[in-house]
Amino acid sequence: MMAEAEDDVCALSGEDHPWPQIESLFSLQAVCTKKSDIAAYKNSSSNMKKHVARIHPNKLKVYEELIKSRKRASDSVDEPNSKKNPKIISAVSSPATKVTQAVINKLLISFVCEGSQPFSIVELPSFRKIIETLQPQCTVMTRKTLRLKVQDTFENMKSALIQKLNHADYVATTADCWSARQHSYLGVTYHWIDSTSLERCSAALACRRMTGSHTFDVIAAALEEIHEEYKIRGKITRTTTDSGSNFLKAFRIYGEEKEDDAQDAQEEGDYILEDESDESESEVEYQDLFGILDEDCGLEYQLPRHQKCACHLLNLVATVDASAAEAGSDTYKRLSRLNTAELGFLAEYATVMKPVAMALNLLQGESSVHMGFLLPTLYQLQDKLKKLESSCKVCQPLLKALHGGILKRFGEVMKEPELIAAAILLPKFRTAWTTNQSILTTGLDYIKGQLENSVENDALCYSSPSDEEDFFASMNTGQSKTGELERYLSCSSAGGMDLLHSFPKVKNLSLKVNTAIPASAARERLFSHAGLLLTAKRSRLHCKYLESQLLLKFNSKIL
């Protein structure tokens, strides 16, 4: 904008004067037409003040008075459409924004739990001053009151979570032990699939203090107590843990039977199968009554089916099993102890291990990974490693070791009918994840058997006028369920989970076998949050308050 001195006044039509307070001294000019014109921005009049001081010093006092009068007038007028942000004090002290003491308490509890803050923060003078300044009518609770209210909020959260879990037909859990500050804890997380949205949901159930030795029976008792506490004992399809010997023994003795239970027991040397087939019925048997009473029959606790963490096993493949490559090849062993010149070996090693790292990263997902991801991931990992055999020069022993490790750790798992069925019942995979027809046939037979069992169960609840109609009622129904499976497999729609809504029986079975997760990374995330709470300065925090504050933070997004 251009302005000129009053001796050369020239009005500009169609635009308001940007400096109305000095309109008597300067007029607005569209463009520069004279040397006396003064260039000035709309939000700054400093050039005009310099001009007055230099050319018209006798009018400088008048100029300053006009500027001050304009400023006083603008401060005294309350403009309703002002774009300036209101001050915090004026905003929170207005009657419309005042909050109650109950709201302040709720916000304070949320701040302490979600921010992993110590309870003593409410006793800091600076913190109390913030609350009392923003809301003078409210008071800040003491540390003792805060602990009690956190515990009450935790109990309300637990009740709400139990009500939410009652709507899930199939659930899965993960469990592990964690030690910090000379204390040990058992962490349990809970996972289910929403039957309407088909989205995976997760929650934390416990971070329970463990005292004494972490033996298999102590772990079984703690898990049983948590399952009963949340009323999920009969709903759990699988519990995923690492391969710790105490967890393996707990689930082998108290859990559901598996085909490879005997193999696990033989490896640990603490479970012996006895063959009683050669006993004669005519012979009199003498039993040690005290031995029978003292023997652990495995009925004291009832644990669900166990699932070894796939990420833990793959990590063993990539470390322990991969180290066997050095024993089988002197060339590989020499190059593996490399110096900075062996960049070729580094590049080839990274190429071989990349599929293993990708599989690990995929299986440790929580929100979008189901049990049906396990076998397709393993089979694709085997295929990717096999394709690298033709291009690898020095890492052939590593490839061989990785193949052997996968078969050693997952050999029995890759043949399990339920896990094969879980992959087939995911629309993302169906039957496209392997070309091994015998594997697919095993999974399809399992699915058909489960669908037929569901038909028979439905028939038991069916009442008909005659026994004859009731006896043959499941014939046509069974054919329809098998036809539903065929339509599901031949459907040309995209592989989204929403496809299952069109096939009710297939959907129900898919939820049953896919509710569990292949890895137990969720409990690692739980322990990561716990580590932020149980710091060195809070090592004396009571286990009850640790669990309350931790679970309120972990479950804040689902309640």
Side-chain angles (χ1 to χ4, degrees):
M1 289 195 178
M2 305 304 301
E4 59 179 1
E6 65 172 351
D7 296 337
D8 302 311
V9 174
C10 178
L12 182 64
S13 61
E15 186 173 351
D16 295 335
H17 201 291
W19 308 285
Q21 68 274 25
I22 55 174
E23 190 175 4
S24 59
L25 299 179
F26 293 90
S27 63
L28 193 65
Q29 192 80 309
V31 295
C32 296
T33 57
K34 308 175 185 178
K35 292 184 178 181
S36 60
D37 290 342
I38 304 165
Y41 292 98
K42 188 174 182 179
N43 58 353
S44 176
S45 59
S46 59
N47 286 347
M48 289 181 287
K49 182 178 181 180
K50 293 178 182 177
H51 172 79
V52 173
R54 187 177 67 255
I55 306 300
H56 311 286
N58 58 329
K59 295 184 179 182
L60 180 60
K61 187 175 181 180
V62 177
Y63 175 87
E64 292 177 348
E65 288 294 332
L66 291 173
I67 293 295
K68 291 180 180 180
S69 63
R70 176 64 179 177
K71 185 177 181 181
R72 287 194 297 267
S74 62
D75 292 341
S76 61
V77 176
D78 185 12
E79 299 180 0
N81 296 327
S82 177
K83 296 182 179 179
K84 294 183 178 180
N85 295 327
K87 293 183 178 180
I88 295 179
I89 298 300
S90 62
V92 300
S93 61
S94 60
T97 57
K98 287 184 179 179
V99 296
T100 62
Q101 182 69 49
V103 174
I104 287 291
N105 293 342
K106 184 177 181 181
L107 293 175
L108 184 56
I109 293 172
S110 177
F111 166 74
V112 170
C113 293
E114 293 186 17
S116 301
Q117 300 293 335
F119 294 142
S120 59
I121 193 173
V122 296
E123 296 181 348
L124 292 178
S126 57
F127 181 82
R128 300 179 69 90
K129 187 175 181 180
I130 292 176
I131 303 299
E132 293 171 355
T133 302
L134 295 178
Q135 294 294 333
Q137 79 283 1
C138 297
T139 59
V140 182
M141 67 182 78
T142 63
R143 176 167 57 178
K144 181 179 180 181
T145 304
L146 176 61
R147 287 200 303 262
L148 295 177
K149 288 189 176 295
V150 166
Q151 196 64 25
D152 292 339
T153 306
F154 169 71
E155 295 297 333
N156 294 334
M157 181 274 295
K158 183 187 293 186
S159 300
L161 185 58
I162 291 174
Q163 293 295 327
K164 193 178 186 69
L165 300 183
N166 285 337
H167 299 289
D169 295 328
Y170 308 107
V171 301
T173 58
T174 69
D176 195 11
C177 289
W178 174 67
S179 298
R181 313 298 174 189
Q182 298 180 349
H183 291 164
S184 300
Y185 300 87
L186 174 66
V188 179
T189 62
Y190 180 90
H191 310 269
W192 74 99
I193 302 175
D194 187 87
S195 59
T196 302
S197 63
L198 297 180
E199 294 181 354
R200 180 172 289 282
C201 306
S202 302
L205 295 187
C207 186
R208 200 67 49 86
R209 175 74 186 276
M210 299 278 290
T211 58
S213 301
H214 302 167
T215 57
F216 71 99
D217 53 337
V218 172
I219 291 177
L223 289 176
E224 179 81 357
E225 180 183 358
I226 295 171
H227 297 165
E228 289 289 346
E229 185 176 334
Y230 285 90
K231 299 179 175 59
I232 58 173
R233 181 176 179 180
K235 295 183 177 182
I236 305 176
T237 58
R238 293 182 185 234
T239 296
T240 305
T241 74
D242 59 16
S243 299
S245 59
N246 49 357
F247 278 97
L248 292 180
K249 186 174 181 180
F251 281 91
R252 185 179 65 251
I253 295 180
Y254 301 116
E256 296 182 8
E257 294 183 358
K258 292 176 56 179
E259 294 181 1
D260 57 347
D261 281 348
Q263 180 180 356
D264 291 340
Q266 186 176 2
E267 292 177 356
E268 295 182 29
D270 52 10
Y271 185 67
I272 302 175
L273 296 177
E274 296 181 357
D275 186 8
E276 301 177 351
S277 59
D278 56 350
E279 293 181 354
S280 174
E281 296 181 359
S282 59
E283 295 179 353
V284 178
E285 297 182 13
Y286 295 92
Q287 301 288 349
D288 183 4
L289 183 59
F290 293 98
I292 295 177
L293 293 177
D294 292 337
E295 183 181 0
D296 190 352
C297 62
L299 299 177
E300 184 178 358
Y301 309 111
Q302 295 183 9
L303 298 181
R305 193 168 184 176
H306 182 246
Q307 176 67 35
K308 295 180 182 179
C309 176
C311 288
H312 179 74
L313 295 179
L314 275 179
N315 183 65
L316 293 178
V317 172
T319 54
V320 177
D321 297 333
S323 63
E326 297 184 2
S329 173
D330 294 336
T331 303
Y332 178 87
K333 181 178 181 179
R334 183 174 63 256
L335 289 176
S336 64
R337 289 162 170 75
L338 48 90
N339 53 47
T340 56
E342 274 97 10
L343 296 180
F345 173 79
L346 283 176
E348 190 169 299
Y349 180 87
T351 302
V352 172
M353 298 301 292
K354 182 179 179 180
V356 181
M358 293 176 64
L360 272 168
N361 188 53
L362 177 64
L363 291 176
Q364 69 182 357
E366 183 177 348
S367 60
S368 59
V369 176
H370 310 296
M371 183 57 72
F373 275 68
L374 177 57
L375 295 193
T377 301
L378 293 176
Y379 276 92
Q380 288 299 309
L381 175 59
Q382 283 186 319
D383 292 341
K384 292 180 183 296
L385 293 177
K386 187 175 182 180
K387 291 178 181 179
L388 292 173
E389 293 178 356
S390 59
S391 59
C392 285
K393 299 179 181 178
V394 296
C395 287
Q396 289 288 345
L398 178 60
L399 285 172
K400 183 178 179 180
L402 292 176
H403 277 298
I406 294 174
L407 293 178
K408 174 185 176 181
R409 309 286 179 179
F410 296 98
E412 296 298 326
V413 172
M414 296 172 72
K415 300 176 183 178
E416 189 173 334
E418 182 176 320
L419 296 182
I420 301 173
I424 296 175
L425 292 176
L426 284 180
K428 179 182 180 67
F429 302 117
R430 283 185 267 190
T431 58
W433 51 276
T434 181
T435 57
N436 191 329
Q437 292 300 320
S438 62
I439 293 293
L440 294 177
T441 301
T442 301
L444 291 173
D445 291 341
Y446 177 88
I447 296 173
K448 293 176 181 178
Q450 292 294 315
L451 292 177
E452 291 176 359
N453 290 337
S454 66
V455 171
E456 293 178 358
N457 293 333
D458 293 341
L460 293 176
C461 302
Y462 174 77
S463 60
S464 60
S466 65
D467 293 340
E468 180 179 348
E469 293 180 6
D470 181 62
F471 185 79
F472 297 107
S474 63
M475 292 178 55
N476 296 329
T477 311
Q479 295 175 0
S480 64
K481 297 301 180 296
T482 305
E484 182 177 305
L485 174 62
E486 298 297 331
R487 292 194 304 272
Y488 162 76
L489 295 175
S490 61
C491 185
S492 59
S493 302
M497 290 291 289
D498 292 338
L499 178 64
L500 293 174
H501 288 306
S502 303
F503 310 96
K505 292 296 181 181
V506 172
K507 169 188 170 182
N508 184 68
L509 182 57
S510 178
L511 294 179
K512 180 180 179 180
V513 297
N514 278 297
T515 295
I517 53 179
S520 58
R523 43 89 177 170
E524 293 293 343
R525 284 183 275 271
L526 177 66
F527 294 150
S528 177
H529 287 296
L532 299 177
L533 283 172
L534 200 62
T535 59
K537 293 183 178 181
R538 304 186 69 190
S539 59
R540 298 179 62 185
L541 179 65
H542 195 280
C543 58
K544 177 177 63 175
Y545 300 122
L546 171 66
E547 184 179 41
S548 301
Q549 191 173 353
L550 175 61
L551 266 60
L552 284 173
K553 176 181 180 179
F554 200 87
N555 298 334
S556 60
K557 296 182 180 179
I558 65 170
L559 296 175

